[in-house]
Amino acid sequence: MNVQPRLLISIIFPLVFFILSLLVYVGYSEYKSNQNAAIEQATSNVRIAREYLAHHFVSAESHLYLLEQLWEEKNSIQGVMEAAQTIVSAKSQYLEVGLLANGNYYGTDGFYKVAAFEEIAKRPWYKPAFSGQIYITPIYLSGSTGRWAVALVSVLEPLQRQEVRIILEINVASLYESLSLLKTLDNGYVYAVERRTGNIVMHPDLSRVGKSSSSVSRDLLARIDSGESTGTIASYVYNDEEKFSVYDARSLHGWVVLSGAAKSEIIMHTFGISAVTLSLLVFILIIGLSIYIIQRVHIYGRQLSEVESIHELNTALRQMVEGVIGCQSIHLYMRNVYSGDFESAQCKHCLSEKEFIGNLATQLGRFAKLPAKQPDMVSAFIAPGKKCIRIPLTKNKQLIGLLYIASPRLELPLLINMLRTYAQSALGHVMLALRIQQTDAMTGLRSKYYLQAQIEKHIKASAPYYVAMVDIDDFKVINDTHGHLFGDKVIIAVADCLRRESDRHTVVARYGGEEFAILVPAEDIVGVKMVLEYIRESISSMQLEFSGKSCVVQVSIGVAKGGDDMEQSIARADKALYQAKENGKNQVVIYCLNSMLQTA
C-alpha cells in the first residue's frame, strides 16, 4: 500500500497534538488533585496538633491551679515548692516551677534567689500584670536549663505589698515530640508560631526555634488580627524552595499552628504519575481506565484521611482496596502502643510482640507477595490456602501496622504503594487521636472508654474475662482531712500500684474520681482472686506521706465474670463492690448469681 507522505504527516501531527494535549490536561488535573489532597492532609494535621496542644495546656493549667490553691490555703513556700518538685519530677515536659514571694525567687531543684525583684523583672517570663491574671510568655531560652521554653504565669494576690507569682516553665521540645509524627506528604511537618512576635515556638529543626518565621508574614498576622483565623498560605519561599502551609490561629494561647510541605513534592508526585500515564497513552484504550483508577484512588484517599476511629478506618480501607485492586478480604493489624502486640481491627486475632519478633520482624521490608503454598504465620491463619499481599505500615521507620490483602485481583506495585501511603497516613492519625482519647491525663492509666472498647473486643472474640471495680475506701474523709492535693496524690499512688502489680495483658483504667476498673483475661476466678487479693494487700501496705501528712490507704474490690453484655458485666462488678463496702470495706467480693462471695 502506497501512502503519500503528505497524508501520513497530516495524520501524525494531529495525533501527536492530541496526545500532548491530553497529557498536559492529565498532568494539570493530577497536580490540582494532589495539591488539594495535600492541603486536606495538612488541615487534618493542624486539627490534631491543636487538640494535642490544648490537652497539654489544660493539664498545665490544672497543675498551676493546684499550686495556687496550696498557696492560698497556707501561704507556705515550703509546701508549694515540695508540690512543685513532685510535679516537675513526674512530668518531662516541665523544666522548672518557680515561686516569686516576699521579694525572693524560689525554684525547683533547690534554686533560690534573695531580694531578687530587680533581677526577676528582667527575666523573660516577667511582665506587669494584675492579680488573678494568667498569661503565657513568648518563647525564650531558659537560663537555668539551656532549653527553649514558654512559661505559664499566675499572678496572685500581693503579700505585704509584694508581688506573688507562680511560674510553670514548659519544655517546648518535649511537648513537640508526639507532634513530630504528623507529616504532610513525605517531608512536610507541623510547627507553631507566636502570633504576637511572629517567632517560631515549635519546629522539628531546633535551630529554627526563637527565630522569625518565613511563612507567617506581618501581612498574614494583620489578617489574623482582623479575624481571618484559618486559611492557607498558598506560597512562600524558604531556602530557595517554594512551600505552602495551612494555618489555624484560633484561641490557643496566642499561637498559630501550621502544617505544610514543599510544592516540589506535589510536582514530583505528579511527574511520577504522569510518566506512568505517558507510557499508558501508547495504548489509547487504556487511557480512560488509568484516569478512572487514579481518580478513584484519590477519592478513596480523601475519604480515608477523614476517618477518626479504627472501625471507620477498617471500613474505608476495605472499600478502597476493593475499589482499586479488588480482593476477597482485607485484614488490618495495628500495634497496641501499650502492650506492643499487633491486634486485628476485626478483634479476631492478636499477634504478641514475642511472636512478631520471632516470626515476622526479619521478613518485613517492602510489601510482599505470599503465594498460597508459602504463607507466613498470619496469612496461614486468616486466609488458609489463598495467596496474600502483606503491606507493612510505618511511621518514621517504626512499624505501626500490617495490612493483608487476601486473593488480590491486581498486583501492580504502583497501586499497592499508593494504597500503602494513604493507609499508613490514616492509621498514624487514628492511633495518635486514640492515644490522646484513651489515656487518663492525671494517672497515665487507660481511660474508661478504652476499657469499654477492650471489653467489647473480648465479647466479639468470645474470649473469657473478668471485670473488677476498685474504689478507694473513705476517700472523701482523706480529702476533707488532708486536702484535695493530698487526695490527688492518693489517686496517683493507687494507680501506680495497680499498674505495677498487673501484667501487660491486663487492662487497668481510671473509671472516674477515686474509682478504677480492671479487665483480666482469664478462664476461672482462682487466678483472678489471687491477683486482686495481692493488689489489695499491696495498697494496704503503703504508707503515703506528703507535705508532712500521712495516711494508710485501703481499697474495696468487686469482681464479676464477664458475659455477653458489657454494661451488665460492669454493673455486676459494681454490685459486688457495693457489697464489699457494706461488708466493712478493705476486701474483695466476687459476684455470683443470688449471692456474694467475700474473699477477705
Side-chain angles (χ1 to χ4, degrees):
M1 182 178 179
N2 186 16
V3 179
Q4 294 182 358
R6 178 178 58 84
L7 181 59
L8 186 60
I9 292 173
S10 66
I11 295 174
I12 289 177
F13 276 102
L15 183 60
V16 170
F17 179 76
F18 172 76
I19 292 176
L20 290 177
S21 300
L22 188 59
L23 179 61
V24 170
Y25 173 78
V26 171
Y28 178 75
S29 300
E30 182 61 29
Y31 175 82
K32 297 299 291 184
S33 178
N34 290 339
Q35 185 182 51
N36 291 335
I39 291 174
E40 289 176 5
Q41 187 182 33
T43 302
S44 177
N45 287 343
V46 168
R47 174 177 57 79
I48 293 174
R50 288 189 77 258
E51 292 175 356
Y52 174 85
L53 291 173
H55 171 79
H56 279 278
F57 277 128
V58 168
S59 178
E61 289 170 356
S62 298
H63 287 113
L64 199 60
Y65 176 76
L66 290 175
L67 296 175
E68 292 172 9
Q69 295 301 306
L70 190 60
W71 172 261
E72 291 176 359
E73 288 177 8
K74 296 189 176 181
N75 287 346
S76 169
I77 294 174
Q78 181 181 358
V80 170
M81 295 315 300
E82 286 179 354
Q85 187 65 57
T86 302
I87 292 173
V88 170
S89 300
K91 300 291 183 180
S92 62
Q93 68 266 32
Y94 299 152
L95 292 174
E96 183 179 281
V97 174
L99 173 64
L100 179 63
N102 301 331
N104 304 324
Y105 179 81
Y106 307 86
T108 47
D109 295 327
F111 185 82
Y112 177 65
K113 198 78 174 178
V114 180
F117 184 79
E118 291 185 1
E119 294 185 21
I120 293 301
K122 300 176 183 178
R123 293 292 292 272
W125 49 259
Y126 182 86
K127 74 172 185 180
F130 299 104
S131 298
Q133 183 177 353
I134 296 178
Y135 63 89
I136 189 168
T137 68
I139 186 75
Y140 63 90
L141 191 62
S142 174
S144 57
T145 64
R147 299 180 184 179
W148 286 104
V150 295
L152 275 176
V153 182
S154 176
V155 183
L156 306 182
E157 291 291 335
L159 184 63
Q160 298 178 356
R161 297 185 179 181
Q162 291 184 321
E163 287 192 39
V164 178
R165 300 191 183 198
I166 299 177
I167 303 95
L168 180 60
E169 199 171 68
I170 302 173
N171 183 354
V172 294
S174 175
L175 194 61
Y176 186 77
E177 287 179 358
S178 294
L179 295 183
S180 63
L181 299 175
L182 296 174
K183 297 290 183 182
T184 299
L185 299 178
D186 294 328
N187 299 307
Y189 47 82
V190 171
Y191 60 107
V193 175
E194 284 178 348
R195 182 169 166 178
R196 187 176 65 180
T197 64
N199 293 334
I200 295 173
V201 291
M202 285 187 174
H203 198 280
D205 182 3
L206 285 178
S207 65
R208 297 281 298 131
V209 176
K211 296 181 180 178
S212 178
S213 170
S214 301
S215 57
V216 181
S217 63
R218 292 185 179 275
D219 290 340
L220 177 62
L221 290 174
R223 294 202 308 271
I224 290 174
D225 290 338
S226 66
E228 194 175 312
S229 56
T230 61
T232 301
I233 306 170
S235 179
Y236 68 94
V237 178
Y238 176 70
N239 283 348
D240 299 325
E241 188 173 31
E242 187 177 10
K243 297 187 173 184
F244 79 94
S245 286
V246 173
Y247 70 89
D248 192 331
R250 289 174 295 180
S251 57
L252 189 65
H253 288 287
W255 288 9
V256 183
V257 181
L258 307 98
S259 179
K263 287 191 173 182
S264 59
E265 285 197 64
I266 302 176
I267 296 173
M268 293 303 296
H269 186 58
T270 302
F271 281 166
I273 297 180
S274 296
V276 175
T277 306
L278 178 60
S279 64
L280 294 177
L281 284 174
V282 177
F283 307 96
I284 301 299
L285 295 178
I286 305 177
I287 293 176
L289 179 61
S290 300
I291 297 173
Y292 174 77
I293 291 176
I294 291 171
Q295 289 178 341
R296 293 303 299 172
V297 169
H298 289 306
I299 291 173
Y300 286 125
R302 284 194 290 271
Q303 294 173 348
L304 202 60
S305 67
E306 297 173 355
V307 302
E308 297 182 352
S309 67
I310 290 299
H311 175 72
E312 292 176 352
L313 173 63
N314 191 61
T315 301
L317 195 57
R318 184 178 67 251
Q319 293 175 348
M320 185 176 187
V321 174
E322 291 176 349
V324 174
I325 66 174
C327 66
Q328 186 178 73
S329 62
I330 71 162
H331 300 269
L332 175 64
Y333 287 77
M334 61 176 290
R335 187 176 186 273
N336 187 311
V337 296
Y338 300 104
S339 66
D341 296 343
F342 283 79
E343 301 174 350
S344 166
Q346 294 89 346
C347 309
K348 294 181 179 179
H349 188 216
C350 178
L351 186 66
S352 71
E353 190 173 23
K354 182 177 180 181
E355 290 175 317
F356 168 74
I357 293 174
N359 294 276
L360 292 177
T362 59
Q363 304 174 27
L364 292 175
R366 302 178 66 182
F367 73 87
K369 298 179 182 179
L370 306 174
K373 295 183 179 180
Q374 296 178 343
D376 65 9
M377 63 177 298
V378 179
S379 60
F381 174 79
I382 60 177
K386 298 174 183 176
K387 64 179 180 178
C388 290
I389 293 177
R390 182 184 65 212
I391 305 175
L393 307 178
T394 61
K395 200 73 170 180
N396 290 343
K397 298 182 179 179
Q398 181 183 11
L399 191 70
I400 60 173
L402 291 168
L403 176 62
Y404 283 83
I405 303 175
S407 302
R409 297 183 179 88
L410 290 177
E411 300 180 13
L412 296 178
L414 171 67
L415 298 179
I416 294 173
N417 279 324
M418 292 174 70
L419 286 172
R420 177 184 180 182
T421 299
Y422 282 114
Q424 63 191 14
S425 176
L427 179 59
H429 289 173
V430 169
M431 289 180 66
L432 179 58
L434 286 177
R435 188 166 187 173
I436 294 173
Q437 296 171 4
Q438 294 175 351
T439 303
D440 177 64
M442 179 180 180
T443 63
L445 295 179
R446 323 286 175 80
S447 68
K448 174 171 69 174
Y449 307 106
Y450 179 85
L451 173 86
Q452 293 172 345
Q454 292 300 308
I455 292 176
E456 293 289 357
K457 280 188 176 182
H458 279 72
I459 292 174
K460 290 181 180 179
S462 299
Y465 69 96
Y466 283 82
V467 178
M469 302 300 291
V470 182
D471 189 79
I472 301 174
D473 292 336
D474 301 315
F475 184 73
K476 185 177 185 303
V477 176
I478 295 174
N479 266 342
D480 294 342
T481 304
H482 300 299
H484 289 281
L485 188 59
F486 190 93
D488 288 346
K489 292 297 176 184
V490 170
I491 290 175
I492 293 173
V494 171
D496 290 341
C497 184
L498 292 173
R499 184 189 297 108
R500 186 172 59 251
E501 304 300 345
S502 303
D503 62 33
R504 66 190 185 92
H505 295 295
T506 299
V507 178
V508 182
R510 185 183 180 195
Y511 207 75
E514 71 275 16
E515 191 172 19
F516 303 85
I518 306 175
L519 169 63
V520 186
E523 292 283 351
D524 56 66
I525 192 62
V526 177
V528 177
K529 180 177 67 174
M530 293 176 62
V531 170
L532 296 178
E533 278 294 342
Y534 187 77
I535 288 174
R536 183 190 62 79
E537 293 173 359
S538 297
I539 294 173
S540 299
S541 66
M542 293 190 305
Q543 179 77 23
L544 298 182
E545 297 183 359
F546 178 68
S547 298
K549 306 169 186 176
S550 66
C551 76
V552 175
V553 181
Q554 296 177 337
V555 295
S556 297
I557 302 176
V559 58
K561 184 175 183 180
D564 295 333
D565 183 273
M566 182 264 293
E567 294 181 354
Q568 184 185 63
S569 300
I570 294 176
R572 288 176 173 177
D574 214 34
K575 188 174 181 180
L577 172 63
Y578 179 79
Q579 189 63 46
K581 295 284 188 180
E582 288 290 310
N583 291 353
K585 306 176 183 178
N586 190 27
Q587 57 188 261
V588 179
V589 170
I590 303 169
Y591 177 88
C592 296
L593 290 176
N594 304 320
S595 66
M596 298 287 178
L597 298 180
Q598 182 178 345
T599 67

